[in-house]
Amino acid sequence: MLEIALTRALSILFFYNYVFVILSVAVLGMGLGAAVVHQQRKLWADGRLGWLALAAGGSVAGLGLLLAALVGVDGRLPLAVLILIPYLFIGMILAAAFTIHAEKTTSLYAADLSGAALGAAVTIPLLSWLDNLDALFLAAGLLALAAICFFALETGFLAKTRFLWPTVLIIIAIIGIRSNGFEIDISRLAVPKPEAQMLQNTPQAEIVYSATDAFARVDLVQIADAPEQQFLFVDGAAGSVMPRFPTTLDAERPFTGDIGFFPFHEPSDDVFIIGPGGGKDVLFALLGNAERITAVEISGQIVDAVREFSAYNGGLFDDPRVQVAVDEGRSYLRRTNAQFDLIYLSELVTLTAERNSYMLAENYAFTVEAFADYLDHLTPNGRIALKMYDELTLTRAFVTAVSALQQGGMSQETAVRHIVVLLDPDLVSAQDPFRSPVMLIYREPVTPEQGAALLTDIQQAGFIPLFVPHAQERPPLSLLATGETTLDDLVADFSRGDISATFDDAPFFYEFRRGLPDLLRQLLVGLAVLLLLGLGYLFWRRRVVKRGPFWQLTAYFALLGMGFMLVELAVIQRLTLFLGHPMRVLSVALFAILLGSGLGSWAAGRMAKKSPSRVILISALAVAVLALLFAFFVPALLDRLAGLSLAGRVGTVVLLILPIAFALGMPFPLGLQQARQKAGQSMIPLAWGVNGVASVVGSVTAVSLAMLWGFGAALLLAGMLYGLVALLGWQNGR
């Protein structure tokens, strides 16, 4: 619950890449907390769990207060250090509890994972009606209740009731804070997010509507001297326009003269819109006389906001010609057999943070496989229309679309002549000559006659024809159309960034840096330094641990930490498109992984009474094999089952996850038993520390591998790591 709630709160304060870095640094606190327990034996020898839980609850509540107080400060690294504190106490609690009750590791680990599964399942719906920081205070309250349980176990519930008073005071304080409407004030945000800049720099701008769910916070900003449009923001970053419905011909002209309206010049009876936002794209379709419009918006709060202000926008989402769905657009499209004259995507971006990853929902809208899906759902004369941001996004979308057409069996020269590109001269400037370009991709090649007609339409509308097959072909695109250069050469010669085609296995469309982003590289360097320090600490403390396979056990828990995170993140990625909405993916997949792992730990305690090392060997090898299946076979299976109902897809995901999750839950608690037997009780907190730090390394490694070679590479590495876990677990047990 804490991590999901923090992701939600931090995504309002910062951009998604900084959220990933902050949480990665903070979660290291769990490993450091376990190291503190290893260093300070009295934390588990004297039984301090109640006080540790109380400190964790108080630090989470204090963190909630601090997040709002620091809204006006752009202090990312200091904030990461502050967020580390509650994780430090949580790491101390886990390490101490497992050390004190070392004989019950399988049961304790099963309870820990099952509780995490329940927290993940409950937090998602809770965030649909709780405000910004409510879930943090709820997590603080749960930790305070855990303190009561620990006090009851350690001292007797009635023997020392004075221990309850600090806990009760924390709970009362939490209730009092929430009753005063405590929340993040985005107008004071120091990070240069578009909404904050508009509110700070435009005197007459004010928030007139605000709503939060598990996916994002949505604000509607009104500017008094711009009555013809209002602005919807998702987490203060991605903005879209809610237009006032035009009631006269003069009021229509600003919309029909917009470059985004050009794709609707051609007759389109059936239109499919991905990410309609505030409804401007739907208005385009209505003004273009579309008969049936299907609009799929990923944020339910945006849909609610548009309907809330129906008197202003003319009831765009309630028009009988319009069907609105809350889902991931491409996933929705894959589940329908309908054909469309026009599939429309306009400046699609949400800039919201997902749990512990760089993945964004809209990245799956701009991959080779995505364009193949769009082409499959077009009528014979249909087309895809993309309104992009600039030259980088336009060129990468062009390369990706041509790659998809080539995979369909056509030559490069033919593929290029499926595409039309145009610019708006009113938006062109020396600083941004490609601002808001539009690209059309036709299912059939553009003929010379069709090209001439398109060129005339573009010029009459007052736009710049950048590339029109047979009619206006300019280099470098014309060189591709004539075969004088290749797509690979275009990508290699492009100096401003990486514009290579993106695929579902590595769907990072908006990452244009060759190699890894700066933030990720800096995080990897920081983790490398931490690992060197950790090795020094292990070398220093090795004599404290009773003689035994010290370094083998250390390697075992490090490999487990990395491997578990590699599997978790890559498996969730594999299921994203199949399940649809990101919050559905998070709630179902994460719940199934954690619950299945908890069941595996519980079963391990019963299966491993005679030969724990054999159970470790079998379970680790099972994870390795199943990871390879997820890498190579599961994507094809999910493509075949994409048309199932929601219940069928959820059931399929659970059935796919449970076997690998069940096996994932066995090696760690059984490894703790081996550590206790071979190296003594003091090895248990050290094992927790090594595993916690390695888990963060695993999550960062998973994203890094995915950016460089795809999530399949992350699963391959996970399979190799669990193969080594099997070998070490068998050796440790001999």
Side-chain angles (χ1 to χ4, degrees):
M1 176 179 288
L2 176 61
E3 187 173 351
I4 296 175
L6 274 175
T7 302
R8 187 82 297 284
L10 291 174
S11 64
I12 299 172
L13 294 171
F14 303 105
F15 289 105
Y16 69 95
N17 45 4
Y18 289 108
V19 175
F20 175 78
V21 172
I22 290 171
L23 282 177
S24 296
V25 173
V27 174
L28 283 172
M30 294 184 68
L32 298 178
V36 171
V37 171
H38 175 70
Q39 177 75 23
Q40 301 293 327
R41 293 171 60 91
K42 61 183 180 181
L43 290 175
W44 54 270
D46 298 335
R48 306 286 178 87
L49 294 178
W51 291 111
L52 290 174
L54 200 60
S59 63
V60 171
L63 180 61
L65 293 167
L66 198 60
L67 285 175
L70 293 177
V71 166
V73 179
D74 186 8
R76 286 165 284 224
L77 183 59
L79 187 59
V81 175
L82 291 171
I83 293 176
L84 182 145
I85 295 173
Y87 281 100
L88 185 75
F89 286 119
I90 291 171
M92 293 167 69
I93 293 168
L94 290 171
F98 276 77
T99 306
I100 294 169
H101 305 285
E103 72 284 356
K104 300 177 181 178
T105 54
T106 55
S107 299
L108 287 176
Y109 195 56
D112 177 49
L113 291 174
S114 300
L118 181 61
V122 169
T123 304
I124 301 302
L126 278 177
L127 286 172
S128 296
W129 60 271
L130 291 177
D131 289 332
N132 297 330
L133 299 174
D134 288 3
L136 279 180
F137 293 111
L138 180 58
L142 290 174
L143 286 167
L145 291 175
I148 292 178
C149 295
F150 284 133
F151 283 138
L153 289 171
E154 293 172 350
T155 64
F157 196 84
L158 298 177
K160 297 184 179 180
T161 54
R162 66 180 183 274
F163 290 139
L164 299 180
W165 290 110
T167 308
V168 172
L169 288 175
I170 285 181
I171 295 174
I172 292 173
I174 291 168
I175 295 172
I177 289 168
R178 288 308 314 134
S179 65
N180 292 323
F182 179 74
E183 62 180 15
I184 293 174
D185 182 4
I186 204 167
S187 66
R188 297 193 298 112
L189 203 64
V191 176
K193 283 194 167 186
E195 181 184 353
Q197 290 183 320
M198 179 178 286
L199 291 170
Q200 292 164 9
N201 300 328
T202 309
Q204 294 180 312
E206 63 173 335
I207 298 174
V208 295
Y209 175 90
S210 185
T212 303
D213 63 7
F215 178 68
R217 167 175 164 169
V218 171
D219 295 328
L220 182 63
V221 177
Q222 175 182 283
I223 301 176
D225 58 0
E228 298 307 313
Q229 57 186 10
Q230 296 179 348
F231 301 90
L232 277 166
F233 289 96
V234 178
D235 281 343
S240 63
V241 171
M242 180 193 292
R244 182 190 292 277
F245 191 82
T247 56
T248 65
L249 185 61
D250 287 340
E252 287 183 10
R253 287 196 181 103
F255 299 107
T256 56
D258 191 302
I259 191 172
F261 179 75
F262 183 82
F264 298 92
H265 275 83
E266 298 180 58
S268 305
D269 292 336
D270 291 282
V271 174
F272 188 86
I273 300 173
I274 297 180
K280 188 176 181 179
D281 304 339
V282 173
L283 178 59
F284 285 159
L286 292 172
L287 294 176
N289 297 317
E291 295 182 4
R292 290 168 294 277
I293 304 164
T294 304
V296 184
E297 172 56 49
I298 201 166
S299 172
Q301 296 293 352
I302 284 183
V303 175
D304 292 343
V306 174
R307 286 183 166 146
E308 178 77 16
F309 288 80
S310 59
Y312 176 87
N313 58 54
L316 289 172
F317 285 177
D318 298 315
D319 189 287
R321 292 168 289 178
V322 180
Q323 177 188 350
V324 179
V326 177
D327 208 333
E328 198 280 324
R330 182 179 158 207
S331 177
Y332 183 96
L333 184 68
R334 283 157 57 96
R335 300 195 301 271
T336 180
N337 294 321
Q339 301 290 107
F340 300 94
D341 302 307
L342 174 63
I343 296 176
Y344 188 82
L345 301 85
S346 177
E347 297 180 330
L348 191 64
V349 66
T350 60
L351 298 178
T352 60
E354 291 187 13
R355 178 185 176 271
N356 208 27
S357 78
Y358 252 74
M359 293 179 289
L360 296 177
E362 67 272 359
N363 285 352
Y364 290 94
F366 301 113
T367 64
V368 168
E369 295 88 346
F371 281 108
D373 287 338
Y374 303 151
L375 291 166
D376 287 342
H377 284 82
L378 289 178
T379 57
N381 296 318
R383 62 211 179 276
I384 307 162
L386 308 175
K387 186 180 180 185
M388 308 306 294
Y389 282 96
D390 49 26
E391 183 183 10
L392 280 172
T393 54
L394 168 67
T395 312
R396 174 164 260 182
F398 177 89
V399 171
T400 304
V402 172
S403 299
L405 290 164
Q406 286 182 289
Q407 283 199 357
M410 63 184 67
S411 66
Q412 172 188 288
E413 293 81 359
T414 302
V416 171
R417 290 200 165 106
H418 282 248
I419 299 175
V420 174
V421 181
L422 58 147
L423 305 173
D424 186 344
D426 294 337
L427 301 177
V428 171
S429 66
Q431 293 76 24
D432 191 358
F434 287 86
R435 185 180 171 192
S436 298
V438 166
M439 182 170 73
L440 299 170
I441 307 152
Y442 288 82
R443 179 164 183 170
E444 300 296 331
V446 176
T447 64
E449 296 77 16
Q450 187 181 7
L454 278 168
L455 179 61
T456 300
D457 290 342
I458 292 170
Q459 290 174 335
Q460 287 180 349
F463 301 129
I464 300 172
L466 191 65
F467 184 82
V468 182
H470 308 290
Q472 181 72 276
E473 298 185 354
R474 303 181 184 183
L477 303 186
S478 60
L479 301 178
L480 293 170
T482 58
E484 297 176 58
T485 189
T486 66
L487 207 61
D488 290 339
D489 291 336
L490 176 68
V491 172
D493 294 340
F494 195 83
S495 60
R496 293 184 54 203
D498 182 8
I499 56 164
S500 58
T502 50
F503 296 84
D504 283 352
D505 196 40
F508 303 98
F509 181 83
Y510 289 107
E511 292 293 346
F512 297 102
R513 180 186 175 88
R514 299 184 191 277
L516 296 176
D518 289 338
L519 271 176
L520 204 54
R521 289 191 297 112
Q522 292 167 9
L523 184 57
L524 284 170
V525 170
L527 287 175
V529 172
L530 180 66
L531 289 177
L532 289 175
L533 294 174
L535 284 173
Y537 174 80
L538 291 173
F539 187 80
W540 173 53
R541 296 291 293 175
R542 72 192 188 284
R543 295 182 180 178
V544 178
V545 178
K546 190 169 64 177
R547 287 186 179 183
F550 175 79
W551 291 110
Q552 282 184 218
L553 287 168
T554 301
Y556 176 87
F557 288 105
L559 292 173
L560 272 181
M562 284 190 64
F564 191 99
M565 292 307 300
L566 285 165
V567 171
E568 179 185 305
L569 292 179
V571 165
I572 290 176
Q573 183 272 343
R574 283 287 190 259
L575 302 170
T576 297
L577 277 176
F578 183 69
L579 276 178
H581 197 281
M583 290 303 103
R584 187 184 303 139
V585 177
L586 185 59
S587 58
V588 174
L590 190 59
F591 173 79
I593 289 173
L594 293 172
L595 182 62
S597 299
L599 292 173
S601 178
W602 176 81
R606 285 146 182 79
M607 296 168 58
K609 291 182 178 179
K610 293 184 178 180
S611 180
S613 58
R614 179 174 297 177
V615 177
I616 291 175
L617 176 68
I618 295 172
S619 61
L621 289 177
V623 173
V625 171
L626 291 170
L628 295 179
L629 290 177
F630 266 93
F632 296 108
F633 299 106
V634 168
L637 173 65
L638 296 179
D639 285 342
R640 291 178 176 272
L641 300 177
L644 290 175
S645 65
L646 176 59
R649 284 180 284 126
V650 169
T652 300
V653 166
V654 172
L655 289 175
L656 286 172
I657 286 178
L658 281 180
I660 192 170
F662 189 81
L664 281 170
M666 293 184 173
F668 183 75
L670 295 180
L672 289 179
Q673 290 184 356
Q674 285 186 338
R676 181 193 177 206
Q677 294 167 1
K678 300 291 183 179
Q681 200 168 8
S682 61
M683 185 67 196
I684 292 178
L686 195 62
W688 267 101
V690 170
N691 184 263
V693 173
S695 296
V696 178
V697 175
S699 66
V700 177
T701 301
V703 175
S704 301
L705 284 174
M707 285 188 169
L708 295 174
W709 298 293
F711 279 97
L715 285 167
L716 286 175
L717 178 59
M720 294 171 58
L721 294 182
Y722 269 93
L724 293 173
V725 165
L727 178 62
L728 287 172
W730 179 257
Q731 289 292 330
N732 291 337
R734 291 182 62 180

